[in-house]
Amino acid sequence: MNIIRIERSGPLSGSVKIQGSKNSSLALMAACCLSDQPITLSGIPDIYDIRIICDIASDIGMGTARLANGDIRLHPGTIHNANIDKDKASSYRASYYFVGALLAKFGKVSIGFPGGDNFVSRPIDQHIKGLKAMGAEFSFHEDHYTVEAKKLKGADIYFDMITSGATINCMLAAVLAEGRTVLRGAAKDPEVVDTAILLNELGAKISGAGTDTIRIDGVRSLEGGHHTVIPDRLIAGAFLMSAGVAGGSVTVTDVIPDHLGSCLAKLTEIGMEIDYRDQSITASSAGKLKAVRVRTAMYPGFATDLQQPLTALLTQASGRSIIAEKIYPKRFQHVAQLRRMGADIDVRGNTAYIRGGAPLSGSWVHATDIRAGTCLLLAGMAAEGTTFLTGVDHIERGYEDALTAFRSLGALMSLEQVDAAHAEEKLRIGNAKL
């Protein structure tokens, strides 16, 4: 079993180039299925979820190749079926994008239920509602579902809640649908805008992305082209928070500061110094952090994906902080792991109450998802002694090489192999103590 060994780290210093957005890349890769011409994507990170998409692409006939410069070249014109392997689809959350991208072409898509981070059930009811409005019919089975539509037709779709996944999926389906589709109550996330930009570059007719009303006029076909994915705002935010956890100064480059507005405002409120330029942000901390109240929200509010690393930061802030999780109320699996390290955190309903300032101690902890893993990496930098982190595969789903990046800043961590039974026993002992 691979584990990450983390030692208490002194003040961090240096800069990190931020990789392309994972969440945007998952949508862009699927969106390419709408075209019949070759497409080149730049900045797609080399992570586990992308490799799964490439496997799925191969299964359905779409050629993919990672070029010497890191770009990915896709050939959607050779796609010959829309039967997505149910196990591969169930290994990551955003597999449902293949439904919107393939339905108009093939009239029927078979796919496994979405998987990925296991911190809360992620329903697809808004996806179903939107696609049904365009004429799709759903059939649900034990381990997969099928979606059929003889012809997709434009429709007015009113989402019952703001959801970036359903917004993107319905936008994909509408591109080749007959007539106009209007998405009302649409998500405004940068990843939604990035997907719309790619599709428009290929010949789609989409307006309003980035607002709560998106209009899509269906077209007969899409062309090929080239597109560069936006930087990963969530990874950038976590690196900025590391400067608060361990002290020092961290610069993230190749970023879009506007995408991190709510995060930067909260870090400033906590007591960190923030300086940003056109494509870089520097966060500095002298160690004097203040408790805050945080409420997660859909973009442009404070991102739920930054809630977990923020929890690690707030264990170092004097006073009582409160985090209300409004997007995924059960997204607190990281709290039990922080308690192993001595954190004083109480969870009631969808709210965590953090009494910061108490020292953390190294322990055996487990990452249940990508952001929980980030949280525990940060906590390990501040803890006395040694922290051993299992669940490394979750971190690899989101980061190209997290350890190299953190070590370049001065963090003390390394990847090691241990006997799986030994690690499981250490985690069991830790559970018994809680």
Side-chain angles (χ1 to χ4, degrees):
M1 175 188 289
N2 284 335
I3 66 166
I4 297 175
R5 180 188 183 107
I6 313 160
E7 305 288 348
R8 182 176 176 86
S9 303
L12 304 181
S13 178
S15 65
V16 175
K17 181 180 179 180
I18 298 302
Q19 68 188 53
S21 166
K22 175 183 80 77
N23 289 343
S24 196
S25 294
L26 300 180
L28 297 178
M29 294 279 287
C32 290
C33 295
L34 287 161
S35 176
D36 288 322
Q37 303 299 320
I39 300 167
T40 301
L41 299 178
S42 297
I44 302 294
D46 185 11
I47 55 176
Y48 175 81
D49 281 6
I50 296 300
R51 292 192 284 272
I52 289 293
I53 290 182
C54 290
D55 285 346
I56 290 174
S58 178
D59 292 342
I60 63 176
M62 180 166 68
T64 64
R66 178 76 72 167
L67 306 181
N69 64 356
D71 291 355
I72 287 186
R73 184 78 163 168
L74 301 99
H75 298 271
T78 54
I79 297 176
H80 51 67
N81 76 83
N83 297 317
I84 310 300
D85 183 278
K86 62 180 184 296
D87 292 326
K88 293 175 183 176
S90 297
S91 68
Y92 76 104
R93 173 180 57 86
S95 55
Y96 44 54
Y97 291 145
F98 280 102
V99 176
L102 293 171
L103 190 56
K105 274 189 174 183
F106 290 92
K108 181 178 180 179
V109 180
S110 175
I111 189 168
F113 293 102
D117 296 336
N118 186 28
F119 55 82
V120 70
S121 173
R122 299 202 189 201
I124 58 171
D125 58 309
Q126 297 303 297
H127 301 246
I128 296 169
K129 176 181 180 176
L131 294 172
K132 278 187 173 181
M134 284 186 269
E137 296 181 356
F138 285 73
S139 299
F140 298 97
H141 308 278
E142 182 177 354
D143 56 359
H144 72 286
Y145 63 102
T146 60
V147 189
E148 296 184 67
K150 292 182 180 179
K151 178 182 288 187
L152 289 173
K153 294 186 178 181
D156 264 22
I157 299 169
Y158 293 79
F159 293 115
D160 299 318
M161 57 183 292
I162 300 173
T163 158
S164 59
T167 298
I168 291 173
N169 211 1
C170 292
M171 186 167 65
L172 295 178
V175 166
L176 298 181
E178 182 181 287
R180 168 172 284 195
T181 298
V182 182
L183 307 180
R184 304 185 189 275
K188 305 174 185 177
D189 302 56
E191 295 79 12
V192 173
V193 177
D194 198 26
T195 306
I197 290 173
L198 165 69
L199 293 169
N200 282 339
E201 289 170 344
L202 302 181
K205 295 181 179 180
I206 302 171
S207 62
T211 76
D212 58 8
T213 303
I214 300 176
R215 293 174 174 82
I216 308 104
D217 291 313
V219 298
R220 295 180 63 86
S221 63
L222 296 183
E223 302 298 323
H226 176 268
H227 180 78
T228 300
V229 65
I230 59 174
D232 199 308
R233 60 191 172 103
L234 305 172
I235 288 179
F239 276 110
L240 295 173
M241 291 176 189
S242 71
V245 171
S249 179
V250 172
T251 299
V252 292
T253 63
D254 289 6
V255 295
I256 301 174
D258 284 350
H259 291 176
L260 286 146
S262 59
C263 174
L264 300 182
K266 192 57 62 174
L267 295 184
T268 300
E269 184 181 343
I270 289 170
M272 298 180 66
E273 293 184 7
I274 303 296
D275 177 50
Y276 60 89
R277 308 296 170 87
D278 287 344
Q279 294 182 320
S280 69
I281 306 169
T282 299
S284 305
S285 174
K288 297 179 180 179
L289 304 178
K290 297 176 289 187
V292 297
R293 289 174 176 259
V294 181
R295 179 190 296 258
T296 65
M298 293 299 294
Y299 187 86
F302 192 89
T304 178
D305 284 342
L306 288 174
Q307 176 258 112
Q308 290 155 293
L310 181 70
T311 306
L313 174 59
L314 292 177
T315 65
Q316 305 302 299
S318 298
R320 185 174 185 250
S321 294
I322 301 174
I323 297 179
E325 177 53 77
K326 296 296 186 179
I327 307 302
Y328 297 114
K330 297 181 180 178
R331 193 174 194 170
F332 288 113
Q333 282 87 335
H334 58 294
V335 168
Q337 307 303 311
L338 290 172
R339 285 174 178 157
R340 292 171 180 261
M341 304 174 71
D344 186 353
I345 306 175
D346 181 32
V347 176
R348 282 175 265 163
N350 69 340
T351 304
Y353 301 88
I354 306 159
R355 296 171 183 83
L360 300 180
S361 300
S363 180
W364 282 80
V365 292
H366 179 70
T368 55
D369 60 81
I370 299 170
R371 314 305 170 186
T374 305
C375 166
L376 298 171
L377 284 176
L378 300 188
M381 295 181 203
E384 295 288 349
T386 304
T387 299
F388 300 94
L389 175 61
T390 64
V392 175
D393 56 311
H394 287 292
I395 296 173
E396 293 172 343
R397 286 187 49 235
Y399 288 82
E400 283 190 320
D401 192 348
L403 266 64
T404 297
F406 277 115
R407 284 198 297 248
S408 73
L409 300 173
L412 304 176
M413 56 181 67
S414 59
L415 185 66
E416 299 181 358
Q417 285 192 328
V418 299
D419 179 72
H422 173 72
E424 290 167 1
E425 176 65 13
K426 290 290 188 180
L427 291 171
R428 186 192 65 78
I429 293 171
N431 286 334
K433 291 180 178 178
L434 288 177

